[in-house]
């Protein structure tokens, strides 16, 4: 390991460990625009976006952040050109196969959240294998939101709870936030403390609508493939300047 790699493992001196977010969520926006600016096909932006996500995951692990959730593919992304969607599905499977051994070595637990039954059967098998293989890893939880939509997630939770009520397994007056959260795709994960959106867009885009109720939001003009450790450092610095009151004075 080089001196530079060793230095990167340590938390920057201006960041306070006790004020780090436990869970960071990212809307990885701008791959296509990054490629267009360089006269490249959109798929090259997606390839570079994968590298940016791998670097962010390693940074979170090195700096002691316990969970990272990335918005990889939304329920609306099926409307993109067919060849781009096919490339993304192939890319997801290839990256899983290539990175699984390293995730095991680095103690990364990977989870996919979303309506996974709509994905290609081969990719579903890759996902199931990766999640099962890493389920006992504990250093960092890496959630990949794939075919994910916040409204659909809430609807499916409501349907699941309604089914339990109909079967007499649950009384309506027993339904509280804890029960509702157990029926979400993200069951078992703490809510994000920090939500980062790249490319300067000022919207949530149907992402984690329930879970980000009290998340701090950080917007950067940086396109996702250019989001590196320095950009993440700036995001964390801004986060640590916020006073999180959760509705209190």
């Amino acid at each position: 390991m080089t001196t530079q790699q060793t230095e990167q493992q340590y938390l920057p001196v201006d960041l306070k460990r006790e004020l780090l977010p436990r869970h960071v969520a990212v809307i990885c926006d701008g791959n296509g625009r990054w490629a267009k600016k360089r006269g490249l096909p959109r798929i090259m932006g997606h390839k570079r976006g994968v590298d940016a996500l791998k670097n962010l995951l390693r940074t979170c692990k090195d700096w002691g952040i316990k969970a990272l959730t990335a918005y990889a593919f939304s329920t609306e992304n099926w409307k993109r050109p067919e060849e781009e969607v096919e490339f993304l599905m192939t890319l997801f499977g290839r990256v899983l196969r290539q990175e699984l051994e390293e995730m095991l070595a680095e103690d990364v637990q990977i989870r996919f959240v979303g309506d996974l039954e709509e994905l290609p059967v081969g990719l579903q098998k890759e996902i199931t294998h990766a999640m099962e293989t890493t389920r006992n890893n504990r250093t960092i939880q890496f959630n990949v939101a794939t075919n994910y939509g916040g409204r659909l997630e809430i609807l499916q939770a409501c349907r699941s709870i309604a089914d339990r009520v109909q079967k007499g397994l649950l009384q309506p007056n027993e339904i509280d936030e804890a029960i509702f959260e157990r029926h979400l795709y993200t069951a078992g994960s703490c809510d994000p403390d920090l939500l980062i959106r790249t490319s300067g867009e000022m919207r949530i885009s149907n992402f984690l609508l329930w879970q980000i109720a009290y998340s701090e939001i950080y917007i950067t003009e940086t396109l996702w493939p250019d989001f590196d450790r320095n950009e993440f450092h700036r995001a964390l610095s801004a986060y640590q300047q916020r006073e999180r009151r959760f509705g209190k004075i």
Side-chain angles (χ1 to χ4, degrees), residues 39-57:
L40 300 171
R42 288 176 59 87
I43 62 172
M44 295 305 297
H46 294 309
K47 286 182 176 179
R48 285 295 296 267
V50 168
D51 292 336
L53 186 55
K54 287 166 55 179
N55 290 335
L56 178 59
L57 176 60

Side-chain angles (χ1 to χ4, degrees), residues 69-89:
T69 298
Y71 205 3
F73 190 87
S74 77
T75 50
E76 289 75 33
N77 286 157
W78 296 107
K79 300 173 186 175
R80 293 185 175 186
E82 184 177 351
E83 60 272 17
E84 182 175 344
V85 171
E86 289 180 355
F87 172 79
L88 287 170
M89 295 298 115

Side-chain angles (χ1 to χ4, degrees), residues 115-169:
D115 187 6
L116 304 180
E117 293 182 359
E118 296 299 317
L119 299 175
V121 173
L123 179 56
Q124 290 185 47
K125 291 179 180 178
E126 298 275 5
I127 286 172
T128 299
H129 175 65
M131 290 197 297
E132 179 62 26
T133 303
T134 65
R135 65 187 178 91
N136 293 322
N137 293 352
R138 291 291 180 267
T139 298
I140 184 169
Q141 184 181 84
F142 180 34
N143 302 313
V144 185
T146 308
N147 195 31
Y148 176 90
R151 288 182 173 182
L152 178 61
E153 178 181 35
I154 290 171
L155 282 174
Q156 291 194 348
C158 290
R159 290 170 185 152
S160 179
I161 291 170
D163 182 63
R164 289 180 59 80
V165 171
Q166 188 176 47
K167 291 176 178 177
L169 301 174

